[in-house]
Amino acid sequence: MSNFWTWWTSPITNRKYWDKDLVTWVYDRLKQAGMSDNAVSGLLGNIYQESGICPYKCEGIAIVTPALDYTNNVIKGATRAQFISTTDPAGKYPDGTGYSLAQWSYSRKGDYWDYNGHSDWNLIGTEYQVYRDTEFLIYDLQRWAYEPSINENLWSAQGKTVWQWLMDPNVSISDAVDAVLMCYEKPFLRVPPTRADYEDEHGKRITFANDIIQDFAGVTPPPTPPIPPDPPTPTPTAEIPIWLLMKLKENQEQKGREYYV
């Protein structure tokens, strides 16, 4: 069982990844699950923003390395109660600290723990943990129920779950990014988010997604379509006077009679 402890910088996009072999394996596994290159890249564009595509990344704490321990601000083992606690006095996972690929937090960290049966901290940085956490990501996306997009004026989920978006063979990179961003990750400080919140997060994540599809699928992405503006507020119009309405009707009837003469 090998370990992943190396950085890789893409010669194509100059993007820095946490190990090329690790990201390649995750990319290929998501393709095996039935996703298109656009869907995988849109998903991983979000994951890159969340964790750098590192399954052992703990929010707010430096990425784990074999030479460091908790005394150097790196995670260490914890019980399930400590893992999901918001008040753990040991401070291993304070508040809603996100963990792993999608930075699962709060009750979703409990789901992560339960899916794995237990969390074996000795597996951090190994192939097995990469496999385990990628499988949980797929499982969690599949079970994520449809819920209206946080702000339907910004992007509409159109009645589809995030998994349905990702399994659509014709999904665009932009829609794949938004399905994960708006329906699954939902990182916004304001709920519902403002247009500025949305455009900022969408812009960062689609940039990463475009880089990923070039680096790991060898595909040049199409130009990113602009985010549509908010629909204009209708301007109230004055009602047509009844005399004008009758006049228009009379003219229409007269034209009809002339047509049949």
Side-chain angles (χ1 to χ4, degrees), residues 112-150:
Y112 166 86
W113 182 287
D114 294 338
Y115 177 84
N116 294 318
H118 67 282
S119 189
D120 188 341
W121 304 101
N122 294 324
L123 295 173
I124 289 176
T126 65
E127 290 177 351
Y128 182 77
Q129 192 202 2
V130 177
Y131 168 81
R132 182 184 65 182
D133 292 6
T134 305
E135 294 304 307
F136 176 71
L137 173 64
I138 293 170
Y139 162 79
D140 202 39
L141 288 165
Q142 288 174 330
R143 74 189 184 95
W144 205 253
Y146 167 74
E147 55 185 37
S149 184
I150 299 175

Side-chain angles (χ1 to χ4, degrees), residues 19 28 41 71 82 86 123 154 161 164 186 192 200 202 257 259:
D19 196 278
D28 290 346
S41 300
T71 60
Q82 290 172 327
T86 61
L123 295 173
L154 301 179
T161 66
Q164 288 171 331
K186 298 181 287 190
D200 179 57
H202 175 92
R257 288 193 292 270
Y259 179 83

Side-chain angles (χ1 to χ4, degrees), residues 85-101:
S85 173
T86 61
T87 58
D88 173 25
K92 298 182 184 71
Y93 297 91
D95 303 321
T97 301
Y99 183 70
S100 191
L101 292 171

Side-chain angles (χ1 to χ4, degrees), residues 19 40 57 76 105-106 116-117 121 130 151 155 208 222 227:
D19 196 278
V40 174
K57 177 70 172 69
K76 68 175 182 179
S105 58
Y106 296 108
N116 294 318
W121 304 101
V130 177
N151 190 326
W155 182 80
F208 300 151
I227 296 175

Side-chain angles (χ1 to χ4, degrees), residues 29 32 53 74 124 133 143 164 170 207 210 229 232 251:
R29 177 65 189 95
Q32 291 171 13
I53 319 183
V74 178
I124 289 176
D133 292 6
R143 74 189 184 95
Q164 288 171 331
N170 299 313
T207 296
N210 285 337
N251 290 344

